[in-house]
Amino acid sequence: MNTTASPENASVEALLSQITDEFLERLDAGEQPDIEDYVQRYPALADFLRQVLPALTVLRQPPSGEEPPADGPISGVLGDFRIVREVGRGGMGVVYEAEQISLGRRVALKVLPFAATMDARQLQRFHNEARAAAGLHQEHIVPVHAVGCERGIHFYAMQFIDGRTLAELIEQQRAPGGGAASEPTEAYTPHQTGDVTAETVEVRAERTPPPGMATSGPVGDGAYFRRVAEWGEQAAEALEYAHSVGIVHRDVKPANLMVDSQGKLWVTDFGLARTAGDSGLTMTGDLLGTLRYMSPEQALAKHGLVDHRTDVYSLGVTLYELLTLQPAVDGKDRQEILKRIAFEEPAAPRSLNRAVPTELETIVLKAMAKEPAERYATAKELADDLRRFLDDKPVLARRPSLMQRARRWARRNRSLVGSLAAGLLLAAVALGGSVGWAVRDRAARQDEAERRVSEALAEMEPALRAGNPYAPDLVRAARQAESHLASNLVGAELRERAEQLLADLAMLEELELI
């Protein structure tokens, strides 16, 4: 038995976890703990304990007239639902296979963990998921049948999908041999209550791979890639419908995409969804969603709007992993993954699996573009391009332009770009200094040349007036003027004057010869 803890010495959440753990341990040990005893020990939590502890008691009790199963799965009754077994759990709740007693139908019951009910944000997200999914009616979105709260337990019931998530299928493909053999079919018999009698329903075991999923590694035949494209098209159509009514999923990933026994894909888990009217749609710095499937704008926790194109990106990353059996973004820790999402381009799918069709690779890479403006503008455009691929028609997606590749290269090599920019700046400064020096040097040489020409012309003029073209001073001055004129450093006005005097000298020489 645990000793009494004081609320002053522990957080409320930790205290509640301690109380519920102790209570469940006593129930599992066959005891019948007194709820009022806990209320007296923790009076500050009295209201909460009177709601939750009875619910825990109900969930630990087997249905009337039945013995608890030997392997210990949770069973019990929650409102109109009789729990059969746990089928999965995650950060947003526990999913049970259950029977809706009044209708005798098989459902999936998602229950919010007890501790999470004390976290206002988690409770709000749970209700967001239920509200968002309940308002969506599309053939590839798991429908919600009912939402409720019974004895402090928040839950909602949805259609039971007899199948597996894409995450499970990818793991099966990665395993040696491409996955385990199918398990035998089981029988499920809903409980008989009052006048409602449900027939025995035969269901496939969960490990049965759906049609189209290969059983050995990344296969090179076209059927596998066509199946991936079909799943991508179905998911994109479901997301387009959600976007059309103002809902952004924000957590698209293989674990939230299920394939049933007929090969049909279903989108589930709208726990992080936001509607266009939600003030929470604008990112406030919180990092939501599974890291490696986040869009760059989510990873950078930008304060701008995260719109429907974030779902297009995440679906592209999911398709990438189906084609290559490798995550598009990997890393040792959170910071490395976020950095790679924001700044590094993934390897092209065909570099990892040469069997991937070129058109399908182009579609996936366009959906995964870092810049939202470079992706498909809508999920419908992505679905349409996948349909063109399936119909053997030319796809609209194109390889990145030279400018886009340059931007991506610069994003991947920021440190190198910074070094190059610094080097270019230094080179520009050095070049500027050199050019300045050259300009100053030319100006000095021009001044010197014009001074020498002016001096030579000053000597030539009196000698020409004397009429003796062979006077030594005149000849020397003329040669000096000619040499400096050849350097092209003399201004136009002075050049014209010098050329005129040299022409006069030439005429005087001719006259002297005559």
Side-chain angles (χ1 to χ4, degrees), residues 4-5 7 37-50:
T4 302
D37 176 51
Y38 283 89
V39 170
Q40 291 177 9
R41 290 164 59 187
Y42 309 102
L45 303 175
D47 292 340
F48 180 83
L49 295 176
R50 286 193 175 105

Side-chain angles (χ1 to χ4, degrees), residues 5 107 431 507:
V107 298
L431 180 60
M507 183 180 296

Side-chain angles (χ1 to χ4, degrees), residues 26-73:
R26 295 180 64 185
L27 287 174
D28 291 340
E31 298 182 40
Q32 295 184 340
D34 185 359
I35 294 173
E36 289 304 314
D37 176 51
Y38 283 89
V39 170
Q40 291 177 9
R41 290 164 59 187
Y42 309 102
L45 303 175
D47 292 340
F48 180 83
L49 295 176
R50 286 193 175 105
Q51 283 186 325
V52 171
L53 297 186
L56 288 174
T57 304
V58 170
L59 287 176
R60 276 298 195 261
Q61 290 175 350
S64 177
E66 296 182 12
E67 293 296 326
D71 57 358

